[in-house]
Amino acid sequence: MIVVRILSVLIGVVILVVGVYLIGMRFADGPNALAAGGPLVSGELVAEEPDWSFARDVAEIELQLLTPPRSRTVWVAEHEGALYVPCGYMNSWWGRLWKQWPVEAREDPRAVVRIEGKRYERTLIPVTAADPAAGPVLAELGRKYGFPAPPPEMALSSEALLLFRLAPRA
């Protein structure tokens, strides 16, 4: 009986600590590991359109939607001067439960990304299988992250993978 009580207290403490950590991260300047963070506030805000080729070998960037103002760490691909952000597992219950940002991005596509300490205001544009860049971007993601690139019509049409182009914000 006492073992059950001690175990219950320990589990309660762990749940409390994790909950406090996750709530505290909502006020942080950016994400931390797997936990979503608050708005991206530090770093120079770059107004001019950069040459994105520097991001070709950047593994992850920080992405913040304006509504709601939360940030997360995401993969990134550069193709022909444009940046793309994938979001996988959207056709699984785990993806739909864990990843709300693609749904939120469709409602309000305004975003801020932080790459190597600099912030850029962007608009997230969904990429479809019919987009000519879809195949090369999926191939680049495969090269960069070490998986075989699926055909765009299979990956993007089934919504197993969502892909967004990071366009300048008007």
Side-chain angles (χ1 to χ4, degrees):
M1 190 66 162
I2 193 153
V3 173
V4 172
R5 187 172 293 160
I6 291 172
L7 197 56
S8 298
V9 169
L10 287 176
I11 290 171
V13 168
V14 168
I15 290 171
L16 180 65
V17 168
V18 169
V20 167
Y21 170 74
L22 292 175
I23 291 169
M25 282 303 301
R26 301 295 179 172
F27 301 100
D29 177 21
N32 182 0
L34 295 177
L40 302 175
V41 294
S42 67
E44 173 190 356
L45 184 60
V46 179
E48 66 274 354
E49 187 67 11
D51 173 7
W52 292 112
S53 61
F54 79 90
R56 180 170 169 79
D57 293 318
V58 171
E60 298 172 331
I61 65 171
E62 295 170 311
L63 169 73
Q64 174 212 327
L65 299 178
L66 293 191
T67 309
R70 278 194 308 267
S71 57
R72 73 264 317 134
T73 303
V74 295
W75 287 357
V76 64
E78 184 272 336
H79 175 68
E80 294 185 349
L83 288 184
Y84 296 84
V85 172
C87 180
Y89 305 110
M90 291 309 296
N91 61 347
S92 69
W93 69 269
W94 175 252
R96 288 189 303 273
L97 174 69
W98 185 255
K99 297 181 179 185
Q100 292 300 307
W101 74 263
V103 175
E104 296 163 351
R106 287 180 172 166
E107 294 171 8
D108 183 357
R110 297 173 301 152
V112 175
V113 296
R114 185 164 53 195
I115 306 171
E116 297 181 341
K118 295 184 178 179
R119 295 177 300 142
Y120 306 87
E121 294 181 328
R122 303 276 96 189
T123 299
L124 296 171
I125 309 293
V127 175
T128 65
D131 190 313
V137 171
L138 291 174
E140 173 59 14
L141 286 166
R143 176 203 70 83
K144 192 171 189 177
Y145 299 104
F147 60 84
E153 56 278 356
M154 182 180 87
L156 299 176
S157 298
S158 68
E159 292 204 346
L161 174 73
L162 301 178
L163 190 60
F164 293 93
R165 182 170 53 88
L166 298 173
R169 198 177 323 152

